[in-house]
Amino acid sequence: MAEKVLLIDDEVEFLEALSERMEIRGMDVTTAENANAAVSAINSGDFDAIVLDLQMPDMNGIDMLKIIRKTNPDMQVILLTGQATLEAGIQAMKLGAMDFMEKPADIDALTDKIKKAQAKKMVIVEKKTEKKVNDILKSKGW
């Protein structure tokens, strides 16, 4: 099954190049160039992972991560930045980011992380489904 990925970055050329490289690797990629497009995509799509730029003019990646956590607490988010700082990395991880990578990201390392995100999402979905089934069985006295 193809990994469904949302790429969020204000650098259009970088976004297009990364999207193309990921699609060549068989991924289903949606892109967003700003916070509004990102929120719209998040609300209308079901993604295995979000690859999020840390530095954007309309909203930084940390604030976007906070929005993602409110609506999709289990979403796997990988932050990318050209200006990585230890403080930003720590803050992102505290907010539940799966990983923090510097631009330009090694495409093989990034795709491996996305595949791990998809696997992690599948485990989360299975656990939630199992809990729902168990709750139903308990409510019926089984």
Side-chain angles (χ1 to χ4, degrees), residues 48-49 65 69 75-79 92-93 96-100 112-118 120:
D48 295 313
L65 181 57
R69 285 287 157 253
M75 178 58 65
Q76 304 304 303
V77 179
I78 301 164
L79 277 124
M93 300 309 270
M98 178 183 170
D99 213 324
F100 189 82
D112 284 345
K113 290 178 189 306
I114 291 167
K115 289 177 184 194
K116 288 177 184 175
Q118 183 187 45
K120 188 172 181 179

Side-chain angles (χ1 to χ4, degrees), residues 5-105:
V5 183
L6 173 60
L7 300 178
I8 306 169
D9 199 305
D10 63 303
E11 295 177 43
V12 178
E13 295 83 17
F14 175 78
L15 192 63
E16 290 172 354
L18 185 57
S19 175
E20 184 177 313
R21 294 175 77 194
M22 293 172 82
E23 287 171 348
I24 289 170
R25 288 164 173 77
M27 295 187 177
D28 179 4
V29 180
T30 300
T31 60
E33 299 172 14
N34 57 52
N36 287 335
V39 170
S40 178
I42 290 165
N43 291 334
S44 64
D46 181 30
F47 301 99
D48 295 313
I50 295 175
V51 178
L52 172 61
D53 183 20
L54 185 63
Q55 299 295 324
M56 296 184 293
D58 59 341
M59 180 182 294
N60 69 44
I62 297 297
D63 290 338
M64 178 62 67
L65 181 57
K66 289 175 184 176
I67 290 170
I68 293 167
R69 285 287 157 253
K70 286 180 185 175
T71 57
N72 299 288
D74 297 326
M75 178 58 65
Q76 304 304 303
V77 179
I78 301 164
L79 277 124
L80 288 181
T81 185
Q83 298 142 1
T85 65
L86 182 59
E87 179 181 307
I90 290 170
Q91 187 176 12
M93 300 309 270
K94 283 182 179 179
L95 289 169
M98 178 183 170
D99 213 324
F100 189 82
M101 299 176 70
E102 286 190 60
K103 285 182 184 177

